[in-house]
Amino acid sequence: MDKEKQFPDFKTLCDIAKLYASCMNDYLYVLDLTQDVYFITENALKRFALPGSMFSDTRNNFRAVVHPDDFDMLIADLDEVSSGKKDEHNLKYRWIGLDGYFVWINCRGQLLRTPGGTPHLMVGCINEIGNSQTAADNISGLLGESSLHERVRQMMPSLRNAMFMRLGIDDFKIVNERHGTDYGDFVLREVADCIQRTLGPRQYVYRIVSDEFMVLDLNDSNYNEMNRLYHRIRTEVDSLVARENYKAIYTISAGLVPLANLENKQYDYTSYSEAMKLSEFAMSQAKARGRNQLYSFRREDYSAFLRRRYLNSCLSQAVSDNFNGFELNFQPLVATNGELLYAAEALLRFRTRADELVSPVEFIPLLEESSLIIPVGRWIIRNALTFCKKMRERHPDFRVSINLSYIQLLKTSLFDDIKNALDELQLPPDCLITELTESGHLEDSAAVRSVWSKLKGIGVGIALDDFGKGYSNLTNIGNLRPSIIKIDRSFTLKALENAYEFDLLLHIIKMVHSLGLGLVVEGIETSDELARINLLEPDYIQGYYYSKPCTQNEFMNKFQGK
Ligand code: C2E
Ligand code: MG
Ligand code: MG
């Protein structure tokens, strides 16, 4: 192509580019091929590590900004243009951003020749490839996540307080499943409208992913103002559902995260990606807490969430690594008639690879939630019984007591697991006691009762644990028909402090004895406590007074002779 066109000079073109720059996201440039001077519109300086808006010695300056793998390709292409071999430049390559990350750009340019045909100038435009979908999405009619990112990036330096409110439609999947994706799209569009109608100046909404929206507030709004905004949106969504005659019923949950609070430095994050991550957490909290509500970000909730996530991964790693990190400790139950060793309770311990000993109060619920308690539970049965067998060599009547979780009862063949382990180790069933805590509702279930009665049927001891702690129901003594009741330490302490509770414990013990059941008092630490509790004539005592839970070897050294 050698169309000869008369064009304005370098400076005029730069001035024109400056005029256009204010109304576009792209970066306009002019390259003077004869003088080796490069001009790019100012907005590029906020994004890329460029030496300035105008610079000479273009090759060396480009070397500093272009990805090393792309540099030769760029120079080769520019050489072709400047030598007049071709008139168009169109290349995708990478420039380094101010944040130190490489950004893919699409760089296009047109060669301008002198009237004599000599290559003279190149004018062109650069746009970010990853940022190209800034157009409105056609379902909701809203801008997408990349536009939000862009706006935050532009505003960040001048922000004092800003808020992210991430909104998600509850049960949107069900709307799609029951009413089809066309109706789903309709709901998305209408909800987007609901949100948009409620917004004031300097509040913007974007569609982030499928059924999630983000409101960006740049008004220095406080929590109460954002809460009111959320309730306005909720009311709008409620009336939308009603207007549609309840064809589909859905609500909206939201998570609120201060994006920047630079004044009081209350939040130690300033990056967009961090704020996005926290907004996702905040919204999932709103859903987890019952949906149709606003949850406002709290650092301590997030730390607890991270802690749980960390422990969950430690626990599953340990399970797949042959239970490495788990250990059983044993604590004696001592008979009050002669201080004889009656049994030992197996108490699970967990140590992370970073050598942190985690309390069972913290990790047992995590094992239950993730169902990892199923393999771990089997491991406990086997190891506790193996220990019992060892102890019985010198102590033929020795028993072990293991704690069971409802998940094990409901989701595994617990009876078979126990029976098989007893048979393989050639142990009699009465060497095992299984402890169950009251749950408030599960003990009445047919599945639980059936496992219980089968275990009892072969002679395994059944203990009702944690009696007197929180929820306790005397009817469970009837439902579960335990052979042993274990009084929790919290009740023991109350009985030791207070005459009324002491009397109450006395009557519970009498009742338990009149039913022919055994009773363990847990949590005795001192000889004085022991003397007072012994007045109530319990059958067994468990507590630090006799021993803290200890390792198998420690236990054998301490108790094998007793
Ligand atoms: P639990 O079954 O009631 O176990 C008794 C708890 O009281 C143990 O705490 C024990 O160390 C503690 N304890 C015993 N005597 C004293 C005392 O004199 N003073 C004080 N301050 N504490 C005493 P641990 O080992 O931290 O276990 C806590 C709970 O975790 C257990 O309560 C049990 O509900 C659960 N747990 C422990 N191991 C297992 C297990 O293997 N499986 C299941 N499902 N739960 C377990
Ligand atoms: Mg227990
Ligand atoms: Mg207990």
Side-chain angles (χ1 to χ4, degrees), residues 328 331 345-349 359-361 364 368 373 380 403-405 408 435 437 465-466 488-489 522-525 542-545 549:
L328 281 182
Q331 188 182 29
E345 180 173 2
L347 293 159
L348 188 60
R349 298 291 177 259
S359 161
V361 178
I364 295 280
E368 289 178 338
I373 194 72
I380 292 170
N403 292 282
L404 290 179
S405 131
Q408 285 171 276
E435 300 188 14
T437 305
D465 201 2
D466 288 357
D488 188 69
R489 173 175 151 80
E522 287 191 62
I524 298 297
E525 294 188 353
Q542 182 179 351
Y544 291 177
Y545 174 72

Side-chain angles (χ1 to χ4, degrees), residues 331-336 342-343 345 401 433 435 462-467 483-489 491-492 505 508-509 512-513 517-524 533 537-543:
Q331 188 182 29
L333 278 73
V334 176
T336 46
Y342 169 69
E345 180 173 2
S401 193
I433 302 165
E435 300 188 14
I462 307 289
L464 186 57
D465 201 2
D466 288 357
F467 197 82
S483 36
I484 296 169
I485 306 291
K486 297 189 78 177
I487 302 293
D488 188 69
R489 173 175 151 80
F491 191 13
T492 312
L505 184 55
I508 288 175
I509 294 178
V512 166
H513 282 159
L517 315 178
L519 186 128
V520 183
V521 171
E522 287 191 62
I524 298 297
I533 287 294
E537 299 183 353
D539 303 285
Y540 313 104
I541 298 288
Q542 182 179 351

Side-chain angles (χ1 to χ4, degrees), residues 125-161:
C125 170
I126 288 173
N127 63 292
E128 289 178 38
I129 298 170
N131 237 11
S132 55
Q133 71 286 46
T134 47
D137 111 63
N138 284 331
I139 296 172
S140 67
L142 297 178
L143 294 173
E145 198 265 335
S146 54
S147 306
L148 169 65
H149 193 172
E150 179 61 26
R151 169 154 268 152
V152 171
R153 198 162 57 75
Q154 282 167 353
M155 301 303 293
M156 205 56 149
S158 60
L159 284 182
R160 285 193 308 133
N161 293 310

Side-chain angles (χ1 to χ4, degrees), residues 288-303:
R289 287 161 193 243
R291 302 158 176 218
N292 198 24
Q293 58 186 276
L294 174 72
Y295 165 85
S296 187
F297 179 77
R298 281 158 32 111
R299 182 57 67 182
E300 48 283 27
D301 294 341
Y302 189 59
S303 306

Side-chain angles (χ1 to χ4, degrees), residues 389-420:
K389 191 169 169 87
K390 251 192 245 163
M391 280 296 293
R392 281 171 86 98
E393 287 167 12
R394 298 267 298 272
H395 216 289
D397 292 332
F398 185 75
R399 298 164 187 80
V400 281
S401 193
I402 57 170
N403 292 282
L404 290 179
S405 131
Y406 278 93
I407 311 278
Q408 285 171 276
L409 265 98
L410 296 171
K411 289 196 187 167
T412 66
S413 45
L414 180 71
F415 176 77
D416 294 339
D417 289 347
I418 289 179
K419 180 86 177 58
N420 292 341

Side-chain angles (χ1 to χ4, degrees), residues 242-430:
R243 234 179 11 253
E244 283 288 299
N245 290 320
Y246 302 97
K247 175 173 172 171
I249 296 177
Y250 47 88
T251 48
I252 194 147
S253 293
L256 188 63
V257 172
L259 172 62
N261 197 329
L262 305 178
E263 262 182 359
N264 57 14
K265 296 244 185 289
Q266 198 180 339
Y267 299 96
D268 52 15
Y269 60 89
T270 44
S271 84
Y272 171 81
S273 57
E274 175 82 346
M276 282 302 275
K277 202 169 67 189
L278 298 187
S279 75
E280 211 174 328
F281 163 76
M283 202 191 70
S284 69
Q285 283 292 303
K287 293 199 183 238
R289 287 161 193 243
R291 302 158 176 218
N292 198 24
Q293 58 186 276
L294 174 72
Y295 165 85
S296 187
F297 179 77
R298 281 158 32 111
R299 182 57 67 182
E300 48 283 27
D301 294 341
Y302 189 59
S303 306
F305 161 80
L306 293 179
R307 166 84 180 155
R308 286 160 64 90
R309 202 170 65 178
Y310 165 70
L311 285 181
N312 272 326
S313 96
C314 295
L315 289 165
S316 66
Q317 230 173 33
V319 170
S320 37
D321 187 15
N322 207 19
F323 302 95
N324 195 359
F326 290 107
E327 191 189 358
L328 281 182
N329 275 6
F330 292 88
Q331 188 182 29
L333 278 73
V334 176
T336 46
N337 59 349
E339 300 220 331
L340 289 173
L341 179 62
Y342 169 69
E345 180 173 2
L347 293 159
L348 188 60
R349 298 291 177 259
F350 178 65
R351 197 176 281 280
T352 65
R353 285 186 185 180
D355 211 26
E356 180 197 358
L357 187 64
V358 187
S359 161
V361 178
E362 189 177 15
F363 73 77
I364 295 280
L366 298 179
L367 288 177
E368 289 178 338
E369 273 165 40
S370 61
S371 290
L372 280 174
I373 194 72
I374 294 172
V376 174
R378 290 199 177 108
W379 181 87
I380 292 170
I381 294 169
R382 216 145 261 283
N383 281 275
L385 286 176
T386 307
F387 174 67
C388 182
K389 191 169 169 87
K390 251 192 245 163
M391 280 296 293
R392 281 171 86 98
E393 287 167 12
R394 298 267 298 272
H395 216 289
D397 292 332
F398 185 75
R399 298 164 187 80
V400 281
S401 193
I402 57 170
N403 292 282
L404 290 179
S405 131
Y406 278 93
I407 311 278
Q408 285 171 276
L409 265 98
L410 296 171
K411 289 196 187 167
T412 66
S413 45
L414 180 71
F415 176 77
D416 294 339
D417 289 347
I418 289 179
K419 180 86 177 58
N420 292 341
L422 286 168
D423 289 349
E424 276 171 38
L425 291 162
Q426 295 174 313
L427 283 166
D430 66 0

